[in-house]
Amino acid sequence: MKTDYLTPLTADIKRRPFATFDLESKDGDSKTVPGFTRVFLAGFYDGESYESFRGHDCIADLMLCMLSTRYIGWHLYAHNGGRFDFLHLLPWLATEGRSLGFRFCAIPAGKSGGIQILDIWKVNKAGKRNGKGKWRLLDSIKLIPLALAKACKTFKLQGKEDLPLETHEDSPRWEEYNAQDCKALWSVLGRFHTMVEDNLGGEVGITSPATAMKTFRRKYLLHKIPRGEDAHEFVFSTYCGGRVEVFQREASDLSYYDINSSYPAVMREPMPCEEPIWWMGEPPKVFTENGREYVGFVEADVELNEYIPCLPVKRDSKLLFPTGRISGRWDWAELALVKHCIKRWGKSVWFKSKPLLRGMVEDLYPYRDKSRQGYDEGLAYVVKLLLNSLYGKFGQSAVRRKVVPWDENLPKGAVPVDGTPESPAWYIDEEVTAPYIMPQIAAHVTALARIKLYRHMVQAGTNLAYCDTDSIITSSQLETSTALGDLKNEYPGVTFSGTFLAPKLYMLRGSDLSIKVVAKGIRERTESTFNTLANGGTVSSFELEKLGKMAHSGFRPPQMFELKKSLLFKSVKRTWDGNRTQPLKFEDW
């Protein structure tokens, strides 16, 4: 049986030098109209000196500066670069850069459409790579997911001054503004490194989840643990995220409750971290009734009939919580809630468990206590980031996709982006053998978090209006506490009337006259746009093209496109029944 392990990190930290860059842009040929399609100024800061480049060739000048031998092996950051700055570099890399011997690959940032990593290297005249060195461009917002101004404030650094976007591009104030941004980002990254590595004893990775995992392995993982790779495919089928559902369309006298650090709270529980034990049929009581000594993932048929069902089912990229006759695989912690409803037992896999993550949670969480002597807002933010992002790294996909321009040396298995042999860009899928991929931990953390939310939902009962991952909106009065994992009232003393159209699309009117609009995927989140959608209208916004569209076009300069959003009065997760919704009913068997 194949066995490998997750091991502690014991080697010395190797801090890579880093630099920052930033682009300024306008719309089309106008020198005053704000926009994102034409770059007129580029700036670069390496921690010692700042350089700026203007005019039609500013991107070429920037690239030749950054891609010098001095910066080989450096990390080159742009804030939100994966959705803006990097896109403007691709046309140069695909044309002039290619003629100079540069090659690149872009690694997408999940489903966001942005770029997480842009790797660049150089080849000789024969097309062979010159050494192992490369330049790595990174989006710092994947490491520190804050607006730059907010990051400066959080880390108590000199912030950036605003410059009206209508300012004429020939104004010298743009160089000052750009330099300020480059230096501010460099300072934020430096402060982040200091806090993670010096204050917390961790190590910085290229993203916040990577940083959390490196910190866990460096400071809190004391012994190697088996990964249980033989069970990964089975367990991955049970892994799903948070619960988001609408229960009422219109409701009043609502309170907004949130669970205090839901994921870190459940990470204190024992986690599966031994060799997998397979079972067929109803498992013995040593697995199912022995406290929390074992964590299991079970295949079963169940029959449910509840207003608030507890078992998640993934169908058509949606996470549903249906009733009826359901077949699936679940974490035993969730399935045990309805064990009397199990009609057939299938295959299952079990792991002995230990409180693997508890030490990190209990050591770091006190930094978030504002009453703590020496409380530091920046350090509290870093701790929050690490604790909230650690579990997901265990559930990372074992396949990583790269986007590259066509090349005669494309590896076997490369897939054309546009589906034709003449495609200007190709996908390359690589299997990642990262030692931290242990889906049993990620799946168990998310299951425990859903259970915690579910128990509060049941308390609210028919007064429940809405839920989202770690929060519920209800007219019930629920018990609150400041303790880790307990409910808190996000807006004490304020009640709301709410209109809920769909998951992540609702509006709350507060008794304090406040208005809160949640509208995922819509740039302008206002009462007006919400009402437009509620009345069956369409909301439009103009967005910059992302990596996918640019790859289809052969990496021409990015353009704006119109993004339209509309809503039909139906819920894809529950069915409307007057003002309320009812769970979907499945007949799987």
Side-chain angles (χ1 to χ4, degrees):
M1 182 173 114
K2 183 178 179 181
T3 304
D4 60 358
Y5 298 88
L6 175 65
T7 57
L9 295 177
T10 56
D12 292 340
I13 296 174
K14 295 181 180 179
R15 293 192 182 184
R16 287 186 180 272
F18 62 87
T20 59
F21 69 96
D22 188 34
L23 307 180
E24 310 297 345
S25 62
K26 292 289 186 181
D27 182 52
D29 294 329
S30 172
K31 291 195 172 188
T32 56
V33 176
F36 305 102
T37 57
R38 182 178 58 82
V39 175
F40 67 88
L41 174 67
F44 177 74
Y45 181 65
D46 65 4
E48 296 180 355
S49 61
Y50 168 79
E51 291 188 68
S52 64
F53 312 94
R54 268 192 178 270
H56 179 74
D57 294 325
C58 63
I59 290 178
D61 293 338
L62 169 71
M63 296 300 283
L64 292 175
C65 171
M66 290 200 302
L67 302 182
S68 64
T69 55
R70 176 185 177 185
Y71 300 116
I72 289 178
W74 285 46
H75 284 171
L76 309 173
Y77 289 95
H79 207 56
N80 204 28
R83 296 172 67 89
F84 174 65
D85 306 74
F86 296 174
L87 302 178
H88 284 282
L89 307 183
L90 296 178
W92 183 88
L93 284 167
T95 54
E96 186 177 342
R98 184 177 182 85
S99 68
L100 295 174
F102 292 105
R103 300 292 183 268
F104 73 92
C105 79
I107 299 177
K111 298 179 181 179
S112 70
I115 301 173
Q116 180 170 300
I117 301 171
L118 182 59
D119 279 337
I120 305 171
W121 61 95
K122 204 164 188 182
V123 299
N124 58 27
K125 292 182 179 180
K128 302 296 183 181
R129 188 164 178 169
N130 284 343
K132 295 182 179 180
K134 66 181 178 183
W135 300 265
R136 171 158 279 188
L137 279 60
L138 297 171
D139 187 346
S140 55
I141 211 164
K142 300 301 179 184
L143 180 64
I144 306 168
L146 288 173
L148 184 54
K150 180 66 182 296
C152 290
K153 181 179 179 182
T154 300
F155 293 119
K156 295 181 171 58
L157 296 167
Q158 181 177 351
K160 48 180 283 184
E161 294 182 8
D162 288 333
L163 178 65
L165 298 180
E166 298 81 8
T167 302
H168 196 287
E169 69 179 69
D170 292 339
S171 170
R173 295 175 64 193
W174 280 110
E175 274 85 358
E176 299 172 14
Y177 178 80
N178 185 274
Q180 207 172 48
D181 276 6
C182 290
K183 293 176 181 180
L185 178 56
W186 195 91
S187 297
V188 165
L189 290 165
R191 185 65 58 87
F192 188 81
H193 270 272
T194 298
M195 287 182 168
V196 170
E197 296 172 353
D198 296 342
N199 296 91
L200 302 179
E203 182 178 352
V204 174
I206 60 175
T207 64
S208 49
T211 301
M213 179 57 71
K214 285 177 178 286
T215 299
F216 168 70
R217 294 178 66 191
R218 184 164 292 280
K219 186 174 181 181
Y220 301 99
L221 181 62
L222 304 179
H223 308 285
K224 69 178 184 179
I225 57 173
R227 292 178 56 223
E229 193 170 4
D230 288 354
H232 284 189
E233 183 178 355
F234 187 89
V235 175
F236 260 124
S237 67
T238 74
Y239 180 35
C240 48
R243 182 171 190 165
V244 187
E245 290 180 310
V246 173
F247 291 84
Q248 298 185 58
R249 179 174 291 157
E250 303 280 351
S252 57
D253 297 320
L254 298 170
S255 295
Y256 189 117
Y257 295 98
D258 187 80
I259 300 173
N260 295 315
S261 298
S262 175
Y263 288 104
V266 301
M267 284 161 53
R268 296 174 297 175
E269 299 295 325
M271 293 292 142
C273 54
E274 294 292 340
E275 296 288 0
I277 304 170
W278 291 94
W279 197 266
M280 179 58 74
E282 184 173 357
K285 291 183 179 180
V286 68
F287 292 153
T288 60
E289 297 183 10
N290 199 12
R292 293 173 291 178
E293 185 177 351
Y294 287 91
V295 170
F297 302 89
V298 182
E299 188 176 68
D301 292 344
V302 297
E303 188 167 10
L304 303 177
N305 186 26
E306 286 87 16
Y307 176 65
I308 306 177
C310 66
L311 295 183
V313 177
K314 291 183 284 188
R315 297 284 168 88
D316 300 324
S317 301
K318 299 290 183 183
L319 187 62
L320 310 174
F321 291 80
T323 60
R325 297 179 175 182
I326 309 164
S327 298
R329 295 172 181 169
W330 296 279
D331 188 306
W332 173 246
E334 281 182 300
L335 187 57
L337 297 173
V338 290
K339 58 185 176 182
H340 58 284
C341 299
I342 298 174
K343 305 303 180 182
R344 182 192 67 86
W345 297 85
K347 185 189 294 187
S348 59
V349 62
W350 301 81
F351 303 82
K352 271 200 166 184
S353 61
K354 296 177 182 178
L356 185 68
L357 310 179
R358 183 184 298 168
M360 182 168 173
V361 175
E362 293 183 347
D363 185 36
L364 294 186
Y365 192 75
Y367 284 100
R368 298 193 58 196
D369 183 359
K370 293 183 179 180
S371 65
R372 177 187 175 106
Q373 185 175 4
Y375 171 81
D376 185 300
E377 181 184 359
L379 198 56
Y381 171 76
V382 172
V383 164
K384 177 181 178 180
L385 193 62
L386 298 186
L387 292 180
N388 284 335
S389 58
L390 174 62
Y391 80 91
K393 199 65 177 172
F394 288 106
Q396 177 179 299
S397 171
V399 176
R400 181 171 68 177
R401 168 158 285 188
K402 297 180 177 180
V403 180
V404 300
W406 179 88
D407 188 277
E408 58 270 14
N409 297 316
L410 283 171
K412 184 178 180 180
V415 177
V417 168
D418 67 6
T420 71
E422 296 78 27
S423 179
W426 292 67
Y427 295 127
I428 300 174
D429 290 336
E430 297 179 339
E431 186 172 353
V432 178
T433 56
Y436 47 77
I437 296 178
M438 298 177 65
Q440 60 269 34
I441 293 177
H444 192 52
V445 168
T446 53
L448 293 177
R450 286 191 301 271
I451 291 171
K452 186 175 285 289
L453 179 72
Y454 169 75
R455 295 192 188 283
H456 293 306
M457 294 168 65
V458 170
Q459 280 184 298
T462 56
N463 291 328
L464 180 63
Y466 184 81
C467 73
D468 187 343
T469 309
D470 60 357
S471 61
I472 64 172
I473 302 175
T474 176
S475 56
S476 293
Q477 297 300 303
L478 303 179
E479 186 175 348
T480 61
S481 160
T482 59
L484 176 61
D486 286 355
L487 274 186
K488 69 173 179 290
N489 189 327
E490 277 288 286
Y491 305 94
V494 179
T495 57
F496 298 93
S497 60
T499 302
F500 304 89
L501 302 181
K504 297 189 182 295
L505 182 57
Y506 63 88
M507 182 170 67
L508 299 175
R509 294 179 178 273
S511 56
D512 61 350
L513 303 183
S514 63
I515 294 179
K516 175 182 175 67
V517 175
V518 173
K520 183 179 179 181
I522 297 174
R523 183 178 294 274
E524 187 181 350
R525 298 166 190 173
T526 65
E527 182 179 3
S528 174
T529 56
F530 182 85
N531 288 334
T532 297
L533 291 169
N535 292 323
T538 299
V539 174
S540 295
S541 63
F542 285 89
E543 307 287 337
L544 190 67
E545 289 178 340
K546 300 183 180 68
L547 175 61
K549 286 192 175 183
M550 289 193 64
H552 271 87
S553 70
F555 303 108
R556 57 157 170 69
Q559 302 174 5
M560 303 298 290
F561 71 98
E562 186 177 10
L563 181 65
K564 296 183 178 181
K565 295 279 187 177
S566 62
L567 175 74
L568 298 177
F569 272 106
K570 64 180 182 179
S571 171
V572 296
K573 296 193 173 187
R574 291 171 66 92
T575 59
W576 288 108
D577 181 15
N579 190 55
R580 292 185 176 274
T581 63
Q582 298 294 332
L584 300 175
K585 188 170 183 177
F586 282 11
E587 296 292 345
D588 288 348
W589 51 275

